[in-house]
Amino acid sequence: MTPTEQSSGDLPGTPAPETAAPSSARDTLRKWLAFGSGVGIEIGAHDLRVVVARVRPSGIRVLGTATIAGFRDEPASAWGAEYAAFLRKLGASHLAAAVLLPRREVIVRQISLPGVNDRDLDSAVRLQLDTLHPFPEEDVVADWTRIGKGGAVLVGIARRSALERYSSLAAEAGVKVATMTFSAAALYSAVHLLGGPPGNGFLAVSERNGELEVYGESPSSPVFSAAFDPPAGRAAAMARAELRLEEQGDSVQLQDVLPAPVAAPENFDRNLTAFAYAAALSNACPRLALRVNLLPPEQRESSSRAMFIPTLVLVGVALLMAGAVTGYSVLANRRYLRSLEAGIAHLEPVAKRSAALDRAIDTAEKRTVMLDDVRRRSKTDLDALNELTRLLPPPTWVNSLELTRASLRISGESDQAAGLLKVLDSSPYFENSQFTISLTRVAAGETFAIRSDRKGAPK
């Protein structure tokens, strides 16, 4: 395999697509939606042709081409390693390829289903599918899509055994495959990628290594694709009749109807790589291409980095929303805190006055309790004095008397002083009576000094 070097030089004599005025607003829209990179692989009789292309609204650049000669006779791991090295050199290892099956191994049919809506399209095609091929039903893989106007449907049919053989070969070689399709779908997608062909139709012929393939479009037939045996003149006449084109019209080379790249490697052969180039373009912009894929869905790989753009955008939006919510929460908390601080500052004088009133009320209560206690104490003292008067009748008389809240101290003379302790303790006002000095005998009787505790008094 001899991959060509990547080059950014313009092709001589090739006008840049942006210099041509778009034929319609639809073509302008398609041009600005054309964005992506793709790998196209054409399975030939003996060789694999590979093209890597990058599509931008400003034009198409062919990054590199390669030919794997005699791939059918080499181990898949050997040519798969060369293919992987080629993609690594171009920085395209992440891309999954669009593989074109050999034209003679695919049956291409075009059927008309006017008035059938998209919901019923699959059922309508399956009803006619058995009449479109000669293979056993269990050995058939088919896919289809609408094309053009007027209810036309493009159908591709291949034998399951052939498809499994090529998919297994790609898996052994480590080739990531996004789609396995056929030349008609790839050519139509590439021709209409940045606009479209003339409205009156065309017929393009490709002849390589003894293989002849004809592709055309016309107002009466959106697509015509067929493989013929040489000579080209006879094949062109039959194709013109099918397309209802002028019999004397000129056929063009297939590469002339494909979008011309603005840059490509120096030895880029547009004729030799026309089919792989068309596959690369349809793979680069799958949303603008016909969606005809014969590969089972579970075997399809999609590694285009562009597919992650919506996810990255959604993640970015989610992060922005999370940041906005967090920022709003912080801002709301700060505003709420400032509001609380302002409310506290406004109510603080009222709170201070309330605290002062509470202290004043507490002081007044304490004073009231103290006054009530004093009032009760005066009455108790008077009752105690009255009780002493009753307990100490004449001829006992008192020299001194000291009455406090807790105790009683009394001294005097009595004819029988020893019995006074028992008399005082029997009173409801006094207890624990005792003499503080020894009794002394005098002419009138005995002198005494007694100390007693008042009942109920604080200790």
Side-chain angles (χ1 to χ4, degrees), residues 27 53 57 60 65 80 151 160 162 171 186 211 221 278 295 305 329 346 362 398 416:
D27 292 346
I60 300 169
T65 64
R160 186 181 303 275
E211 297 180 355
S221 179
L295 191 66
R305 291 169 180 168
S329 177
H346 177 71
D362 185 64
V398 176
Q416 294 292 332

Side-chain angles (χ1 to χ4, degrees), residues 414-435:
S414 177
D415 58 345
Q416 294 292 332
L420 294 179
L421 297 180
K422 185 177 180 180
V423 171
L424 290 174
D425 288 342
S426 64
S427 168
Y429 296 94
F430 306 104
E431 63 182 353
N432 301 325
S433 302
Q434 57 184 347
F435 292 110

Side-chain angles (χ1 to χ4, degrees), residues 398-451:
V398 176
N399 292 330
S400 65
L401 185 146
E402 180 183 355
L403 183 65
T404 66
R405 295 191 60 192
S407 64
L408 167 68
R409 292 180 179 274
I410 185 173
S411 63
E413 294 181 7
S414 177
D415 58 345
Q416 294 292 332
L420 294 179
L421 297 180
K422 185 177 180 180
V423 171
L424 290 174
D425 288 342
S426 64
S427 168
Y429 296 94
F430 306 104
E431 63 182 353
N432 301 325
S433 302
Q434 57 184 347
F435 292 110
T436 58
I437 61 173
S438 301
L439 296 177
T440 304
R441 191 77 185 170
V442 295
E446 296 175 331
T447 62
F448 62 88
I450 300 173
R451 182 190 180 282

Side-chain angles (χ1 to χ4, degrees), residues 45-366:
H46 304 288
D47 305 333
L48 288 180
R49 297 182 180 89
V50 184
V51 174
V52 181
R54 177 183 295 143
V55 180
R56 297 291 185 271
S58 59
I60 300 169
R61 296 179 182 272
V62 177
L63 303 182
T65 64
T67 299
I68 302 177
F71 77 98
R72 297 179 187 271
D73 302 324
E74 291 187 14
S77 58
W79 63 261
E82 296 182 20
Y83 171 82
F86 169 65
L87 292 188
R88 281 197 305 270
K89 185 176 181 180
L90 300 178
S93 298
H94 62 285
L95 297 176
V99 178
L100 291 187
L101 298 171
R103 181 61 185 83
R104 294 185 182 274
E105 297 188 32
V106 180
I107 296 176
V108 180
R109 294 285 187 262
Q110 185 178 233
I111 60 177
S112 180
L113 296 173
V116 178
N117 57 38
D118 293 340
R119 183 180 58 186
D120 300 328
L121 179 63
D122 288 352
S123 300
V125 173
R126 292 184 189 280
L127 286 176
Q128 302 187 35
L129 191 60
D130 291 343
T131 65
L132 303 179
H133 64 84
F135 308 131
E137 183 178 356
E138 64 275 3
D139 192 29
V140 167
V141 176
D143 198 13
W144 50 85
T145 185
R146 292 187 184 274
I147 188 170
K149 299 179 180 179
V153 178
L154 182 67
V155 183
I157 305 170
R159 303 196 70 165
R160 186 181 303 275
S161 56
L163 189 69
E164 290 177 350
R165 182 173 68 255
Y166 289 122
S167 60
S168 298
L169 192 63
E172 292 176 12
V175 177
K176 294 189 294 185
V177 180
T179 176
M180 280 193 175
T181 185
F182 47 92
S183 58
L187 290 172
Y188 184 91
S189 301
V191 168
H192 293 264
L193 180 63
L194 299 178
N200 54 356
F202 68 90
L203 179 65
V205 179
S206 174
E207 186 172 2
R208 304 170 303 167
N209 303 325
E211 297 180 355
L212 182 63
E213 185 169 342
V214 177
Y215 175 82
E217 299 179 17
S218 71
S220 61
S221 179
V223 170
F224 175 81
S225 173
F228 290 94
D229 294 322
R234 179 174 175 275
M238 295 177 62
R240 286 186 175 278
E242 184 72 24
L243 290 169
R244 299 180 185 178
L245 295 175
E246 297 179 2
E247 295 183 2
Q248 303 302 321
D250 294 331
S251 300
V252 298
Q253 294 296 316
L254 183 60
Q255 66 268 19
D256 294 333
V257 298
L258 296 174
V262 297
E266 293 181 358
N267 57 350
F268 174 55
D269 189 335
R270 295 179 61 190
N271 177 51
L272 188 64
T273 60
F275 291 97
Y277 176 57
L281 296 184
S282 64
N283 189 24
C285 304
R287 289 178 176 80
L288 301 179
L290 294 181
R291 299 182 181 181
V292 185
N293 193 349
L294 298 175
L295 191 66
E298 63 273 10
Q299 298 181 24
R300 302 172 188 175
E301 297 192 41
S302 179
S303 55
S304 174
R305 291 169 180 168
M307 68 178 292
F308 297 108
I309 291 178
T311 302
L312 294 177
V313 170
L314 291 176
V315 170
V317 171
L319 291 176
L320 288 176
M321 292 181 65
V325 170
T326 302
Y328 177 79
S329 177
V330 172
L331 182 60
N333 289 338
R334 289 179 179 176
R335 289 180 176 176
Y336 183 64
L337 182 59
R338 287 197 295 266
S339 176
L340 286 179
E341 291 175 347
I344 291 172
H346 177 71
L347 295 175
E348 188 173 6
V350 178
K352 289 181 177 180
R353 289 197 296 270
S354 177
L357 288 174
D358 290 339
R359 290 193 298 271
I361 291 172
D362 185 64
T363 302
E365 288 180 349
K366 289 181 178 179

Side-chain angles (χ1 to χ4, degrees), residues 371-386:
L371 291 175
D372 290 342
D373 186 56
V374 170
R375 181 181 58 81
R376 286 193 300 271
R377 189 190 312 168
S378 300
K379 182 178 182 302
T380 303
D381 292 345
L382 291 175
D383 290 341
L385 288 175
N386 187 46

